[in-house]
Amino acid sequence: MSRLPSSPSSINLLAPSEKSNAIQPPALRSSASNASLRTTDSRYAALSDGNPIPSSISDKFAMSPDPAAWGGNVSPNNREPDDDLHNPDPRRDRKHDQGGSILTTRGIVNLGCLAILFCGITMLFAGYPILSHFLTHHQSTSGGFNFGGINATGQIAAMPGNWGLIDLDTPKEAYEKTDYVNGKSWELVFSDEFNVDGRTFYPGDDPYWEAVDLHYWQTNNIEWYDPAAITTRNGSLEVTLSQKESHERNFTGGMMSTWNKFCFTGGLIETSVVLPGINNILGLWPAIWTMGNLGRAGYGASLDGMWPYTYDACDVGTVANQTMNGLPLAATENGDPTNNGVLSFLPGQRLSRCTCTGESHPGPVHSDGTYVGRAAPEIDIFEATDIQISGDPITGQVSQSGQWAPFNAEYEWLNTTANLIIPNETSTYLNPYQGAVYQQATSSLTYTNPEAYELSGNVYATYGMQYQPGFDKAYIAWIANGQLAWQLNQPGMDADAAVEISARPVPQEPMYILVNLGMSRNFGFVDLEHLTFPATMKVDWIRVYQSPDSKNVGCDPIDFPTAAYINQ
C-alpha cells in the first residue's frame, strides 16, 4: 500500500472505513501546472505508485539554502572579484593608506554643510533670543507704573477714545489751578467736560459714571431715580426731573455717581452748573456731593452704621445712640426737639476702632494692633435750598456742608473764629440748622447768582470743595460763585467732654462724586403748584485737582482699602 503525503487533509481526519467512500474535492495541488521548468525539480516528491505531484508556481523561485545545490562554487580556493575588499592586507595596502588630502571638492562641501548646520542651530537657540532682546521695541509705560501708563492705583491716565482720567477736551489752561486756601499751584487729576452729546449712564455704559434705578427712600424722595433722566446735550450733562410716572411715583429724576470707579482723597473739586428751575420757587433739590467709597448712596444696607461717621476712637461715640446705660446724660437731652431731645438714633459705628480681631473689617491696623475706624462720611459741594423771599432782588441759596458722627452735645461744634472762616459775611452765613438724630451738620448758606438758573439767565456758576483730610492742619473749604465761601478747620470738631467723645478727623476715606436732582419734603417745602416741569440741572464740567506733593487717586488706596470689604 502506497504512503500518503504528510500534509494534513480532510481525508486523513476520516475514519478508515470512511476514507474509501469519501468523495475527494479537487485540491490545489491536483491542478495541472507547468510553472516549473522541470517536473523533476519540484519540492514535492513522487508517490511510490509512480504518480508525481504536479509542480506549483512557487517552485520556480524556491532555492535550496545550500549554494552547492544550485551550482555555486563554495570552495575556499575559489577567488571572487570583491575578495580584496573583505580581506585587507596592511603590507599590500600601505602605499594606498598614506598621503592624500581632505581639501577635495567633496570634503569642502561636507565641511561647508556642517558649518551651515552649526551656524543655523546657534542662531536659532542663541542668536535670535539675544537679538530679540536688544532689537524689540518695548511698550512705554507713559510715566506710569505698568504697561500702557497704568498708575499706582491700577487706573489708566490716558487711553484712546477719550476715556482717560483727564478729559481730552479739558482746556490746557485748566490743567493747573491755584488752590483757594494756601495759594499753591495744584495739578488736574480728573476731569469730565461732557462735550460728547448723547452719552448714557446705564450700568456698563461709562468707565467712571453710573446712574441708579431706584427710589431714594432714605430721604423720602418724591421721585423715582431712572438712568434715562441723565444724558449729555449741547456740551453739558443734563439731569432732568419730569412729571412722569414710574414705579407708582408721579415724578422721575436722576442720580449718578463714580462709586467704586473714581475716588480721590484730599484735593479740590470744582464744577460749573446751571441750577434747575428759577430762584423764587421752592421744592427742587439739586446737589453735587461726595461720599466715602465704603458706602453706596441709595443702598441702605451699605450705609447702616457707616454714614455719616468719621471717627477713629474706641469709646462711647461708637455705640448705638452714643450712650451706655443711659450715660452720658448730655446724649439723652437737648438734642433733636422732634424726638424728645434725644441726641442720636444712629445704630453705632459698624467698622469702629473697637472691632475685635477676626471680625469683618477692611483695615488697616494701628501700631497698637487696633483697627483704624472706617465709615462712609459725606461732604456736600452744594445743595440748592430755600430762598430768601424778602429782599430785592429775590435770591436763592446753596447749602455747603459736612455731615458728621458721633455728635456734639446739642449739635454745637466749636465754631470759634479760629475754626470758622467766612471771608464775605454779606454773601455767606452759618446755617442755623446743625443736625438731628441721624446726622450733625456743619453748614453755611451762600446766596446764588439769580441768573444762574435754568429759567432765568441760564448762566453757569462755579461751585467747589477743597479739603485736607485727617487731623494735622486738616480743613474743609467751600467755593461758591468761583470764590471761597467759607472754611471749617478740623479743631472745630475736637473732643467734646460733655458727650465723652473724641476728636473727629476731616474724612480720610477715598471719596466718590455724586450728581442728582430730586425732591423731598424732608428738605423743605415743595411748591408743586408753581414748579415748572421738566426741570433740568446742567453741568458744564467737573474737575478734580490735587497738590503735586500729595496725589491720591483711586477707590482702593493702600492706607484706606475698600475693594476686599466691598467684594466679600
Side-chain angles (χ1 to χ4, degrees), residues 9 12 30 36 62 77 83 113 127 138 149 164 169 194 206 214 220 242-243 277 288 331 340 370 383 400 403 429 504:
S9 73
N12 295 339
S30 65
S36 297
N77 297 321
D83 279 356
C113 290
H138 297 283
D169 290 333
F194 304 111
D206 195 90
L214 51 77
N220 294 319
S242 57
Q243 194 166 1
I288 299 181
N340 299 318
T370 59
E383 297 173 283
Q400 298 180 294
Q403 318 301 324
Y429 63 94
R504 287 138 294 173

Side-chain angles (χ1 to χ4, degrees), residues 41 93 147 167 216 368 394 450 474 559:
D41 291 336
D93 301 329
F147 292 125
D167 194 327
Y216 206 90
D368 62 0
I394 295 174
D559 52 347

Side-chain angles (χ1 to χ4, degrees), residues 422-461:
I422 301 179
N424 186 353
E425 295 184 355
T426 61
S427 60
T428 302
Y429 63 94
L430 195 64
N431 193 339
Y433 175 80
Q434 299 187 88
V437 289
Y438 290 109
Q439 68 185 111
Q440 178 177 350
T442 56
S443 171
S444 286
L445 300 173
T446 299
Y447 296 115
T448 58
N449 178 358
E451 299 297 310
Y453 287 83
E454 173 193 12
L455 300 179
S456 55
N458 207 40
V459 172
Y460 287 87

Side-chain angles (χ1 to χ4, degrees), residues 306 308-312 349 375 377 403-406 503-508:
M306 303 288 286
Y309 284 96
T310 174
Y311 204 50
D312 188 25
Q349 187 178 5
Q403 318 301 324
W404 309 81
R504 287 138 294 173
V506 171
Q508 305 174 92

Side-chain angles (χ1 to χ4, degrees), residues 243-294:
Q243 194 166 1
K244 174 185 175 183
E245 185 175 352
S246 179
H247 297 78
E248 300 182 353
R249 298 196 165 270
N250 295 325
F251 297 89
T252 301
M255 180 175 79
M256 72 177 193
S257 77
T258 65
W259 176 78
N260 218 30
K261 297 176 181 288
F262 169 76
C263 305
F264 66 102
T265 306
L268 165 66
I269 177 171
E270 283 191 307
T271 181
S272 180
V273 180
V274 174
L275 296 173
I278 198 168
N279 68 332
N280 61 355
I281 300 177
L282 301 172
L284 299 178
W285 189 8
I288 299 181
W289 47 301
T290 63
M291 178 178 281
N293 196 57
L294 285 175

